[in-house]
Amino acid sequence: MRLLSHNLLMCNVKGCSENNYPLRILVQKSKIIEAELNPDFLRKLVTKLDWKGLHTTLISLDFHKFPEQLAEDDWKNEEFLKELHNVLMQTHIIEGKLVCPNCQREYPIVNGIPNMILKDSDCLLYTSPSPRDRQKSRMPSSA
């Protein structure tokens, strides 16, 4: 999972609607995977990111080179863009977990893929079974 992806994820557990972003990352294994630097892409991308959420995550992962607030000059600084590229595009979380800061729900990261699937009882859209679902089957049993 790239840190770029992390910026888009939030807890969706039923009733967990405040302080559910950004998810805290607990890293067990990470890897740097080289990717081509594209400064124009980064300049466009960062305007769409939640910088505050990203900054919170970067600090928690000991990336202290980034400012709390972005300045216009940051986009002209090649060194800043290289560091941002390294963090967003080349840093991959291979194993670990994402943890909601509100409800403490843990989402495992396995082989670089975060599992955000919830149990039915945790889902925002969960509804009780219909009466029809509770009825016994009218099909003859095969026993």
Side-chain angles (χ1 to χ4, degrees):
M1 177 191 83
R2 291 180 177 168
L3 289 184
L4 173 61
S5 303
H6 171 262
N7 195 255
L8 304 171
L9 301 175
M10 64 187 284
C11 182
N12 286 311
V13 170
K14 179 174 55 178
C16 185
S17 59
E18 292 184 24
N19 192 31
N20 60 352
Y21 173 87
L23 299 174
R24 199 170 65 247
I25 301 177
L26 302 176
V27 180
Q28 294 170 338
K29 181 180 176 185
S30 65
K31 186 176 184 180
I32 300 296
I33 300 175
E34 296 288 325
E36 184 178 338
L37 174 64
N38 184 338
D40 291 333
F41 172 75
L42 283 174
R43 287 183 187 104
K44 291 176 187 173
L45 175 69
V46 175
T47 62
K48 297 176 184 351
L49 293 176
D50 173 18
W51 183 260
K52 184 179 178 189
L54 178 61
H55 185 264
T56 300
T57 299
L58 294 175
I59 295 299
S60 75
L61 296 174
D62 290 329
F63 291 105
H64 296 281
K65 295 182 178 185
F66 298 94
E68 191 171 339
Q69 300 286 325
L70 290 176
E72 272 191 48
D73 291 349
D74 290 335
W75 307 118
K76 297 173 186 170
N77 182 332
E78 287 295 318
E79 196 58 37
F80 172 80
L81 290 175
K82 285 178 186 176
E83 289 294 331
L84 188 63
H85 170 75
N86 179 46
V87 167
L88 288 179
M89 307 304 289
Q90 296 187 146
T91 302
H92 293 253
I93 310 301
I94 306 300
E95 304 290 334
K97 55 181 113 172
L98 302 171
V99 181
C100 176
N102 184 35
C103 71
Q104 305 305 308
R105 170 74 155 84
E106 295 181 355
Y107 301 92
I109 303 169
V110 179
N111 294 324
I113 301 170
N115 181 349
M116 304 297 290
I117 298 173
L118 300 174
K119 297 179 217 158
D120 285 346
S121 60
D122 291 337
C123 290
L124 290 172
L125 301 176
Y126 178 74
T127 58
S128 300
S130 73
R132 184 184 68 206
D133 294 336
R134 292 187 197 128
Q135 293 175 352
K136 287 189 173 183
S137 171
R138 291 181 281 170
M139 298 296 290
S141 90
S142 58

